[in-house]
């Protein structure tokens, strides 16, 4: 359980007196579990290796990235800030046009930092994932209603 302690200590240092640390950690864990669900959906159609590459603002949050790493049981590679969505799209467009392969494209992109899955929290997150999935399924209709409301608000 070393990783949970490490993550908890970092959350404690990020949180001010105004935020409930448990709520912040629940939010971070739910983001990681939502990412896992998206990757599971994608992997039904595409082959995915055992590394995840991330960029953007969230990739600067060590707690979030390490939690993603632990939930997914895979290493997470953080890309440089300048390697955003546009750069990724350009690299993939080159691969789609046959200028290089996906493997070559992957090697073209530098990695700023690698987070390693510790393997110390498999039991903890296995239980959490089961609870999260039950809650997710139980609330799918509510999520759909919220999406519909958001769509109506955007049209106004």
């Amino acid at each position: 359980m070393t990783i949970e302690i490490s993550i908890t200590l970092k959350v404690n240092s990020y949180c001010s007196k105004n935020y409930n640390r448990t709520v912040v950690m629940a939010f971070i864990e739910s983001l990681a579990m939502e990412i896992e669900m998206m990757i599971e959906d994608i992997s039904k159609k595409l082959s995915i290796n055992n590394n995840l590459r991330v960029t953007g603002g969230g990739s600067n949050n060590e707690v979030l990235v390490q939690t993603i790493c632990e939930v997914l049981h895979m290493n997470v590679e953080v890309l440089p800030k300048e390697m955003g969505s546009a750069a990724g799209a350009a690299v993939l467009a080159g691969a789609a046009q046959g200028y290089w392969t996906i493997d070559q494209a992957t090697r073209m992109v530098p990695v700023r930092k690698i987070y390693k899955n510790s393997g110390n929290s498999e039991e903890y997150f296995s239980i959490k994932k089961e609870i999260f999935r039950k809650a997710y399924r139980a609330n799918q209709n509510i999520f759909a209603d919220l999406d519909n409301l958001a769509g109506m608000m955007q049209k106004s």
Side-chain angles (χ1 to χ4, degrees):
M1 295 292 200
T2 305
I3 194 66
E4 290 91 33
I5 294 168
S6 173
I7 289 173
T8 301
L9 291 174
K10 288 181 182 177
V11 167
N12 289 343
S13 70
Y14 286 145
C15 294
S16 70
K17 294 177 188 175
N18 300 330
Y19 294 104
N20 182 317
R21 287 164 181 80
T22 305
V23 171
V24 171
M25 201 60 221
F27 176 72
I28 288 171
E29 288 176 355
S30 70
L31 284 174
M33 290 182 212
E34 180 71 21
I35 290 167
E36 181 187 49
M37 289 173 67
M38 288 187 286
I39 289 174
E40 285 174 357
D41 285 346
I42 291 168
S43 67
K44 291 174 186 172
K45 298 178 181 169
L46 301 171
S47 174
I48 295 179
N49 66 20
N50 205 28
N51 284 321
L52 176 67
R53 290 183 156 201
V54 298
T55 188
S59 68
N60 296 318
N61 185 317
E62 291 182 14
V63 175
L64 174 60
V65 177
Q66 187 64 51
T67 303
I68 291 168
C69 191
E70 298 303 318
V71 167
L72 273 61
H73 306 293
M74 63 173 54
N75 297 334
V76 177
E77 298 174 345
V78 177
L79 305 181
K81 292 175 182 160
E82 62 274 6
M83 291 304 297
S85 299
V91 169
L92 289 176
Q97 291 298 310
Y99 294 116
W100 44 76
T101 67
I102 293 290
D103 286 337
Q104 290 170 324
T106 301
R107 289 190 297 274
M108 292 168 68
V109 179
V111 174
R112 180 169 47 106
K113 185 171 182 178
I114 299 174
Y115 289 81
K116 302 248 182 215
N117 173 23
S118 71
N120 293 335
S121 50
E122 287 184 36
E123 181 180 358
Y124 172 80
F125 280 118
S126 176
I127 294 166
K128 283 274 192 151
K129 284 188 228 182
E130 186 177 321
I131 295 167
F132 179 83
R133 288 175 191 278
K134 285 179 187 175
Y136 189 87
R137 284 189 298 270
N139 289 297
Q140 279 184 313
N141 291 336
I142 293 170
F143 297 150
D145 290 345
L146 290 170
D147 284 345
N148 290 336
L149 178 61
M152 288 174 17
M153 298 303 290
Q154 288 177 349
K155 292 177 184 175
S156 326

